[in-house]
Amino acid sequence: MKQAGLSVREDAVGNIYGRWDGSEQGLPVVATGSHIDAIPFSGKYDGVVGVLGAIEAINVLRRSGFQPKRPLEVIMFTSEEPTRFGISCLGSRLLAGSETLVNTLKKAADAQNVSFFDAATSAGYNLGPDDLSNLVLEEGSYSAFVELHIEQGPLLEEEGLSIGIVTAIAAPASIKVEFEGNGGHAGAVLMPKRNDAGLAAAELALAVERHVLESGSIDTVGTVGILELHPGAINSIPSKSHIEIDIRDIDEKRRNGVIEKVHQSAINIAKNRGVTLSEFNIINQDPPASSDKAVIDAMEFATKQLNLSHKFMISRAYHDSLFMARKSPMGMIFIPCYKGYSHKPEEYASTEDISNGVKVLALTLAKLSLE
Amino acid sequence: MKQAGLSVREDAVGNIYGRWDGSEQGLPVVATGSHIDAIPFSGKYDGVVGVLGAIEAINVLRRSGFQPKRPLEVIMFTSEEPTRFGISCLGSRLLAGSETLVNTLKKAADAQNVSFFDAATSAGYNLGPDDLSNLVLEEGSYSAFVELHIEQGPLLEEEGLSIGIVTAIAAPASIKVEFEGNGGHAGAVLMPKRNDAGLAAAELALAVERHVLESGSIDTVGTVGILELHPGAINSIPSKSHIEIDIRDIDEKRRNGVIEKVHQSAINIAKNRGVTLSEFNIINQDPPASSDKAVIDAMEFATKQLNLSHKFMISRAYHDSLFMARKSPMGMIFIPCYKGYSHKPEEYASTEDISNGVKVLALTLAKLSLE
């Protein structure tokens, strides 16, 4: 960011901000950015395009001799993926402000039982529990936030379009569930004497799929991406199971209805199998976010100026923008990606599509910074 | 073993033999023994009672001034549990002789992709692929093998009995299955576009239970103790799943019928979900073993001499005895264990029950060594 002539600062949790001052003092900031962390066995475009693309958009504006009126800012958010502590969009969530999140982090530990604060110290951050609440953005400090991102879905590619203008971000929720049974030897414990925590988890995974499909809407999705058995030996009946569930919808109420059904299924499965539902913890249950009209207009203006084909669309994946929307007018620019692949090594976006996205971002930022 | 006055040798894979020579030269050996390895998060009686108990039985016979006619031998078998390479009873299987096993071991690797032979080298063994076939016991070299073991089931405790005389060992089988789907982002890929390898695994785990119960026999058991998802992130649709299945029965044909149904289910699930059944590998599919009449008679004689209550019973767990039975007349002595718990930390057998088991073993060995 420094090479792009930005003045750089880092906050207490590792969000990094690069600022280009505007010609007028005291105006709210126009910001853009994304993240560079990734889940295991992932691709290299998710997030990264929106950080490097933002820096390049600033370069483009500088090269063109442009001078912003409002400050322009590039933000690289910390820990967008929920890999280590099971909490997604850590950086932007803290900027949006959430007492629940702050309380969760005070108790959070990773799979090796390292606390969030010990992990922060190991990573070189000097972070105490009381610092978290100080990160919240002041109301009105940002006049716009725009994020460039690969679509992570197949629609733009299928329809041969260059740009997606995001009008809303679907409402995500994530849930941790644990069952506990009696375990025992796989040969010696007869079937009627079993309380198999692993089969309870298998049933619940299928129930998630069933309840999602029962919603009748193509916009409801549910996934069990984590399912772990303890002790995890072929000749041992699972005595514990742990599953993590992701449920999303553009309709918050419908999504919450699915969560309620999944909870009821977990209770029933535990009862029928004689296992204990020792945890059913809704880690986050966020509302959807709508893009701001003025930001949408700026993105559409930029796309038309550049003569690029486009469509208005919903983001089914969520992003740091979902949380920035709580503190700032928000918009997102999508570019096509190969077969809609994401969160796997085959993830790919062409240089041409990335270049188009950067141009639209640059022009959108320019327009918003002059308003 | 040396402290018990036995002459000790170790073979190429780590089976350890302690020999007490008999008064007559050239007679086949009467042997006893078990294993001391354990699965993760396990107890400390499974196997261990049969090794330390065997050494103590020898001590008892020496203290009493007994002199065997046939040689007496204590065997501590290597790697009874399938923890590292997915192959149970490695030591006794090799003694029984199996070309299939030898070929499997030549390709076997652990979860960290360390080959069996590299692992053996790291553990200090000088073992080449050609050494495996040399381990096979000569026909007629053992006249009896007796193993002392905790029951790993609840029957002796429930019925208040001291000793179980095992008449047969149930037939075990273990199977590795892998499904491969397309993976993708948990938000962006809509439900109809999914090929979820994790849900295929969940369905198969439940199908194992269903097919086992359909057998209609209390003696059929099936377990999915291992179920792993890749990449294992909450916001990523599983692109691969791996499950390991254990199926046992005292009736080999009925067990093989269940395996065939599970295989058919795996094929159907893969087809319905549009995932690939990339592996359905029957790792082992052993026949059951019957105890030898003369060994049963010796165990019953010993139990009655000691005035201990007993019953004849089937071993639903399998043991090194299952494989020793292929090369030697075989029998097993069971003692009660707390609530039938095994393969978990609560596993427990009382000093009194262990002591009874050791006495029965000593007297059984004495009788068999004089025949």
Side-chain angles (χ1 to χ4, degrees), chain A residues 237-287:
Chain A
I237 301 161
S239 59
K240 285 187 208 167
S241 59
H242 171 92
I243 84 174
E244 298 193 18
I245 305 168
D246 179 299
I247 300 175
R248 309 181 191 207
D249 204 322
I250 54 168
D251 182 324
E252 186 178 8
K253 200 173 149 194
R254 191 169 58 207
R255 182 206 60 189
N256 291 349
V258 173
I259 293 174
E260 192 34 58
K261 279 186 174 181
V262 170
H263 190 188
Q264 199 52 53
S265 282
I267 292 167
N268 293 342
I269 290 165
K271 196 175 158 200
N272 293 339
R273 290 198 171 269
V275 300
T276 306
L277 177 62
S278 47
E279 182 175 348
F280 188 95
N281 189 1
I282 300 174
I283 302 298
N284 63 283
Q285 188 170 17
D286 299 299

Side-chain angles (χ1 to χ4, degrees), chain B residues 112-131:
Chain B
Q112 275 70 47
N113 224 17
V114 176
S115 80
F116 174 71
F117 293 101
D118 285 349
T121 304
S122 300
Y125 292 94
N126 179 14
L127 180 69
D130 296 335
D131 298 327

Side-chain angles (χ1 to χ4, degrees), chain A residues 41 81-82 152 158 174 182 185 187-188 190 193-194 206 209 222-225 232-235 238 273 316-317 343-344, chain B residues 81-82 152 158 174 182 185 187-188 190 193-194 209 222-225 230 232-235 238 273 316-317 343-344:
Chain A
F41 309 104
E81 303 289 359
Q152 304 185 284
E158 279 175 13
S174 61
N182 283 330
H185 190 286
L190 300 184
K193 295 246 178 189
R194 295 189 176 199
L206 293 166
E209 181 187 47
T223 308
V224 172
I234 185 172
N235 53 1
R273 290 198 171 269
R316 297 178 189 283
H343 281 196
K344 54 181 186 173
Chain B
E81 303 290 358
Q152 303 184 285
E158 278 174 14
S174 62
N182 284 328
H185 190 286
L190 301 183
K193 295 245 178 192
R194 295 187 176 200
E209 181 187 46
T223 309
V224 173
H230 177 91
I234 185 172
N235 53 2
R273 291 199 171 269
R316 296 177 190 283
H343 281 196
K344 54 182 186 171

Side-chain angles (χ1 to χ4, degrees), chain A residues 281-304:
Chain A
N281 189 1
I282 300 174
I283 302 298
N284 63 283
Q285 188 170 17
D286 299 299
S290 292
S291 297
D292 177 75
K293 175 77 169 63
V295 179
I296 292 174
D297 287 349
M299 295 189 290
E300 189 182 11
F301 167 82
T303 307
K304 286 184 172 166

